[in-house]
Amino acid sequence: MPLPIPSFFDPAKVGLVWRVSYQERAAQAAAWAEGHHVRPAAADAVRLCLIAVDVQNTFCIPEFELFVAGRTGRASVDDNIRLCRFLYRNLDVITQIYPTMDTHTAMQIFHPVFWINDAGDHPAPYSLLSVDDVHSGRWRVNPAMVAGLAPNVSAANGAGLEAVDYPWLERYARYYVERLAASGKYQLTIWPYHAMLGGIGHALVSAVEEAIFFHAIARASQTGFQPKGDNPLTEDYSVLRPEVMEGPDGRKIAEKNFRFIQTLLDFDVVIIAGQAKSHCVAWTIDDLLSEIATVDPELARKVYLLEDCTSPVVVPGVIDYTEQADAAFQRFEAAKMHVVQSTDPVESWPGLAALKP
């Protein structure tokens, strides 16, 4: 039988921002674990992890910067209600939770201030910059931000780029859009400023944060936060790798998240949920599938996609990625990953009949 949902959980508050009462929840979690005979995660015979992709205010709270409304107008709120319920009901079998955290600052390649035209304007949010836009100079790197950007580039790179000047950034910008075009993914999208480090939008949704904290105490399992997206020179839709990892001169500007990739390969079961289905969720899954293919394609069978806890980007009258997101999930399923519903008992999922006694 699934575990009961704690009485403090209020679905009406999932779309709101509020302070989690950590000390109170910690005491409740310890008592709840004892009362329901929940063992520490270290005792799990089958190790199961949950990746909660970018379940942050910026994507999941109405009126925030990139609220994933889907076609219903409140999709990510409903997704998170289901996600919280799933966490509480299956807390006894979830070994560890890995929330990914989209993490940005103002001057990044996908934000308006990075680019400028001859009139001195920046591209509007949701603009798509093509190879021709950049090669023709219709949009070019904003020279005013170069001095402030260079130290951030070196810090994000780790090894450092010694010559981050305007000519290099111009060459890099042309190279970057060419690489995106060659990958067959979307053109460079200029996003509204979002998930800003230090801001409210960067934080986890309060109700989800509460559930994750409750899990950490009840199961003595440290939450494995995975920041991504702070490199000024590349998009990081996937938590496993950036879109571009080197510059036009071959110098490294970023690298894969090798440690997390190996961590996921070591788990017996990997569950994925979060936002948005069309972007960060889909590309994280896609990169995981690529890594699995290099080891053993059959490992795809251990991946479960919570389809009712994720939704695509939809901006009415502007963009609608629903069909692309659905096609991606069909492709993942064809690769032997499992598309499942959070409302179904975990032990009823394919291959998990023995998970709960």
Side-chain angles (χ1 to χ4, degrees):
M1 295 292 294
L3 293 169
I5 296 175
S7 59
F8 59 76
F9 174 65
D10 182 359
K13 294 175 61 180
V14 174
L16 304 175
V17 177
W18 39 274
R19 182 184 67 84
V20 175
S21 300
Y22 299 114
Q23 203 62 40
E24 181 181 359
R25 293 295 175 262
Q28 291 171 320
W32 191 86
E34 182 178 357
H36 293 286
H37 310 289
V38 174
R39 300 177 303 171
D44 289 351
V46 178
R47 299 179 66 251
L48 183 155
C49 77
L50 169 71
I51 307 174
V53 177
D54 297 0
V55 188
Q56 298 163 267
N57 292 331
T58 199
F59 302 111
C60 300
I61 300 297
E63 299 183 6
F64 270 65
E65 300 86 3
L66 282 176
F67 175 58
V68 180
R71 289 180 174 176
T72 68
R74 52 169 286 136
S76 58
V77 174
D78 292 333
D79 291 340
N80 286 334
I81 291 173
R82 289 185 286 266
L83 179 60
C84 286
R85 287 174 171 156
F86 175 81
L87 283 170
Y88 289 126
R89 286 171 175 156
N90 298 284
L91 182 143
D92 57 337
V93 297
I94 299 173
T95 308
Q96 192 163 12
I97 300 174
Y98 292 96
T100 74
M101 303 289 292
D102 214 25
T103 304
H104 300 318
T105 52
M107 292 184 291
Q108 296 198 247
I109 199 165
F110 45 80
H111 277 160
V113 73
F114 195 97
W115 303 91
I116 199 166
N117 63 13
D118 288 340
D121 299 322
H122 303 301
Y126 304 110
S127 297
L128 298 178
L129 271 58
S130 68
V131 172
D132 183 61
D133 287 332
V134 178
H135 275 265
S136 68
R138 186 176 301 117
W139 292 110
R140 63 183 190 278
V141 175
N142 179 6
M145 55 134 207
V146 174
L149 181 68
N152 300 101
V153 170
S154 294
N157 177 55
L161 288 172
E162 294 78 10
V164 179
D165 53 19
Y166 189 69
W168 187 89
L169 281 172
E170 283 193 309
R171 292 197 305 275
Y172 179 80
R174 291 191 292 269
Y175 173 81
Y176 186 80
V177 293
E178 289 170 359
R179 286 296 304 274
L180 290 186
S183 74
K185 294 183 178 179
Y186 307 125
Q187 292 178 321
L188 173 60
T189 302
I190 302 302
W191 295 105
Y193 299 103
H194 66 286
M196 300 297 285
L197 182 61
I200 297 172
H202 182 256
L204 289 176
V205 169
S206 300
V208 177
E209 181 197 8
E210 182 178 57
I212 290 174
F213 177 78
F214 192 84
H215 170 271
I217 300 299
R219 300 225 61 207
S221 173
Q222 185 74 289
T223 304
F225 292 97
Q226 298 291 318
K228 67 180 181 70
D230 62 341
N231 190 314
L233 296 182
T234 180
E235 298 153 286
D236 283 81
Y237 292 106
S238 166
V239 69
L240 301 183
R241 57 161 291 162
E243 294 305 304
V244 173
M245 293 188 285
E246 73 286 325
D249 48 12
R251 286 186 295 176
K252 182 183 73 172
I253 63 105
E255 63 182 8
K256 291 182 181 181
N257 191 344
F258 291 106
R259 181 176 295 180
F260 191 42
I261 290 169
Q262 189 57 54
T263 295
L264 297 179
L265 292 175
D266 289 343
F267 271 96
D268 299 306
V269 177
V270 177
I271 302 173
I272 303 176
Q275 304 304 330
K277 182 181 181 182
S278 51
H279 287 73
C280 295
V281 171
W283 291 357
T284 293
I285 299 168
D286 195 59
D287 285 342
L288 178 59
L289 186 59
S290 295
E291 296 297 331
I292 283 173
T294 67
V295 179
D296 179 2
E298 288 298 308
L299 292 176
R301 295 182 184 276
K302 74 175 185 177
V303 181
Y304 296 79
L305 314 179
L306 286 182
E307 191 172 34
D308 59 343
C309 294
T310 183
S311 295
V313 170
V314 178
V315 181
V318 182
I319 49 177
D320 185 336
Y321 289 113
T322 301
E323 293 182 3
Q324 293 94 322
D326 290 345
F329 267 52
Q330 290 170 10
R331 180 164 54 84
F332 301 145
E333 193 168 30
K336 300 179 182 178
M337 291 180 173
H338 305 282
V339 177
V340 295
Q341 303 299 308
S342 67
T343 51
D344 294 333
V346 171
E347 61 271 25
S348 73
W349 292 357
L352 297 185
L355 188 59
K356 286 194 176 185

